[in-house]
Amino acid sequence: MVQITNTAQQQNSSQVAFISVSQMMELVRHIGTENFITGLISYLEQDFSRWGLFNKSPRFAAHSPDGVIELMPTGDLEQFSFKYVNGHPKNPMSGLQTVTAFGVLSNVATGYPLLLSEMTILTALRTAATSAMAAKYLAPKNASTMAMIGCGAQSEFQVIAFSTVLGINKIRLYDIDPEAVAKCQKNLAGKDLEIVACQSIDQALINANIITTCTADKRNATILTNEQVADGVHINAIGGDCPGKTELEAKLLRRADIFVEYEAQTRIEGDIQQLAANSPVTELHRVINQQQPGREDENQLTIFDGVGFAIEDFSALRYVYQLAHKYDLYRSLELLANPSNPKDLYGLAMMSE
Amino acid sequence: MVQITNTAQQQNSSQVAFISVSQMMELVRHIGTENFITGLISYLEQDFSRWGLFNKSPRFAAHSPDGVIELMPTGDLEQFSFKYVNGHPKNPMSGLQTVTAFGVLSNVATGYPLLLSEMTILTALRTAATSAMAAKYLAPKNASTMAMIGCGAQSEFQVIAFSTVLGINKIRLYDIDPEAVAKCQKNLAGKDLEIVACQSIDQALINANIITTCTADKRNATILTNEQVADGVHINAIGGDCPGKTELEAKLLRRADIFVEYEAQTRIEGDIQQLAANSPVTELHRVINQQQPGREDENQLTIFDGVGFAIEDFSALRYVYQLAHKYDLYRSLELLANPSNPKDLYGLAMMSE
């Protein structure tokens, strides 16, 4: 808990709203994961609908032998946001998260930050919300079964998003780690879902209308081959999300209609890094804005090659900024100096409290 | 003050050190501005000496009609840093700072942030320290007089840095705003400096061995013309720092030997944006590493075209991270989720405290 301890601090600094991990947990529990995701999708659709108004650039990525640290900035005419996010596949071996994140939302007119928020939990929610939003336009009608390949930190959020938004009620779980499957199954108990723990990917794919791949290995893996996948399926491929980290066989990609968030970034980071730079893909906002079709028939094989784009974080930060104020679940952080005379920063720095 | 309120929070989150505005003020007052700058220069020289080990890129800049928001990332094999900084020249009209900033220092091996720090005050200190470091190699020997053109938030820090590092003891102040001059003069009283408030730039330049220009107007201004400046002077030009924002007449630039921090960025943002892209400049690290000469004779006109580079913020964050621990002037912030099972983020999010 952040407390303002005296009046001098209030005069000398400008306060930024701060949502801690505990407060994010409280916010999600208070509203419920399902409602949180539904509300977040409405923010995502608003922002995808006005795609042309955003500053867009592929994220900044600092690669090192063990992982990557990324900065993901974007903004419209009124607000700016960025997310700091790391991806370190070996972290769990030392008890750390593969992915942690935090983000900032700012006022473009003044440049002043409005919100600093944890985003480890929030990123999981926005990734699931984005996948489910894409599937609304791409999944076969009346889909009821999803294969969930990879039962790591993202898996329950994906399952809940698809069950909430698309009415998926049968989940087939697979992971190379049986404990991850057991954890996922346990966390989803009581959700009114028929859950089957599978022994292989092939078993998980049986009758699946939607296949979600969310694996973490930092290499060009082949989680799904072309031959394993039937026509008419929607693949929600979100684990291939950085250079040299892919999940789908190239032949499978070539057979499918591929949808992406922001082509310039997905060419670098997505499964389509395996394809020629001019291979056809459709940006999702064009489907949402009815400029291009999503799924057109029941035999079509569709792939959402999701890598996570800055506008999704922008939407998520806008959403929690509003929620945190509504439910008073934030504290104020003394992050910015605010001298009474803006030209007298030195006088402020020397001031005794 | 940030307080850990219960054990559940400690278990579920990973703590990041946080230096607030008040704590930065306390740190600077405790050590003294002069000592702080001297110590910071030793960190800057360490990092400029190993320039080749850093990831370098021009900063990310989101421009808007009223200003700019920038992200400045860099890192070596062990640590990564970035700074968020805005520049909004109209802010003071509504009682806000033109420039505010905060920054983060992270562990490259895990991707986890180590430190979140206010950087409004810290940026002023690192900008002054960088200018003084450059002047050690570029200013004429036995320089005693500095003209300070622009008496805004950065001015006192510059004066103290030059007096501490180069022994400057005569300061000639000029600003279009007489109140800014009076503020600067008042803040520097008691520093054993001979200070003259001037009525014009020409008056400020009389006998000046060093000219610091630090003005804020976001346009191609001409603060100094070629004819105003004598041979043998060192110009510390730090106000021209974004596209369309310059201070020196192009003719003056062409006459001088120009030194920059990181050429790729300075070509975009510095006063040299007025020159051809292949005009000769020298990166400062080459001078510090004795690969190229700094000042060679007493008649040479030298210009440090400073725009502020990410490595300087990296040095500053490393420096205050060490100081904050030494003097116990930081708090812990619950910024990162840290489930006991890294794959069980959902279980954490649902956990009641």
Side-chain angles (χ1 to χ4, degrees), chain B residues 51 259-264 281-287 292:
Chain B
W51 190 261
F259 298 81
V260 301
E261 291 141 312
Y262 176 54
E263 183 178 343
V281 299
T282 302
E283 286 189 337
L284 191 57
H285 67 95
R286 297 184 60 82
V287 177
Q292 281 187 255

Side-chain angles (χ1 to χ4, degrees), chain A residues 22 29 84 106 334 351, chain B residues 22 29 84 106 334 343 351:
Chain A
S22 298
R29 280 198 313 273
Y84 171 108
S106 298
E334 197 208 347
M351 188 185 298
Chain B
S22 297
R29 281 197 313 272
Y84 171 107
S106 298
E334 196 208 348
K343 290 185 181 174
M351 188 186 297

